[in-house]
């Protein structure tokens, strides 16, 4: 598992692709991951390796769906998540729904 901290500013192309900085690509490749799970939350786009996302899902599955706060979090954070592949040029294609939710606009 790896963790990258920081805020990154990159330019999304007209097709909704974001380039991953080498600081992000290298640990993803080292972890033998070829895709990320993206979700939009609190005005930002969050990315997780598939392994890390599965751990989040297991923790959420242990929570009661009858709790209003848990349900709200599941609907906001988990339900809108999408798995995206890292292409050969180190880019990810952000689905339109996530772009809207995260407030991302084109170049």
């Amino acid at each position: 598992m790896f963790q990258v901290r920081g805020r990154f500013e990159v330019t999304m192309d007209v097709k909704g692709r974001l380039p991953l900085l080498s600081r992000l690509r290298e640990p993803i490749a080292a972890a033998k991951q070829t895709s990320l799970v993206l979700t939009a939350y609190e005005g930002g786009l969050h990315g997780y390796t598939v392994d890390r996302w599965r751990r989040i899902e297991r923790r959420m599955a242990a929570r009661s769906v009858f709790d209003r706060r848990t349900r709200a979090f599941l609907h906001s954070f988990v339900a809108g998540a999408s798995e995206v592949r890292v292409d050969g040029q180190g880019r990810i294609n952000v689905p339109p729904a996530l772009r809207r939710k995260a407030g991302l606009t084109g170049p």
Side-chain angles (χ1 to χ4, degrees):
M1 182 178 99
F2 70 93
Q3 185 156 352
V4 178
R5 289 176 181 83
R7 182 181 178 112
F8 307 97
E9 294 190 24
V10 294
T11 301
M12 182 172 59
D13 70 13
V14 295
K15 294 182 180 180
R17 295 177 298 199
L18 287 175
L20 295 177
L21 303 172
S22 62
R23 181 176 171 193
L24 298 172
R25 282 194 315 266
E26 290 166 2
I28 291 168
K32 297 185 170 100
Q33 301 286 305
T34 58
S35 58
L36 295 173
V37 176
L38 300 179
T39 189
Y41 189 68
E42 294 184 347
L45 191 64
H46 300 257
Y48 300 88
T49 62
V50 173
D51 293 340
R52 178 76 174 125
W53 185 257
R54 285 184 183 133
R55 285 194 289 278
I56 291 169
E57 287 179 325
R58 282 193 296 273
R59 281 200 323 249
M60 291 289 90
R63 303 250 181 176
S64 172
V65 295
F66 296 107
D67 177 70
R68 183 178 50 212
R69 289 177 52 194
T70 298
R71 250 190 343 270
F73 180 76
L74 288 171
H75 285 285
S76 178
F77 190 77
V78 178
S82 188
E83 186 173 341
V84 297
R85 299 203 53 81
V86 179
D87 72 13
Q89 295 178 332
R91 300 173 300 192
I92 53 172
N93 191 356
V94 182
L98 284 176
R99 283 186 242 155
R100 284 190 300 275
K101 191 171 179 189
L104 300 176
T105 57

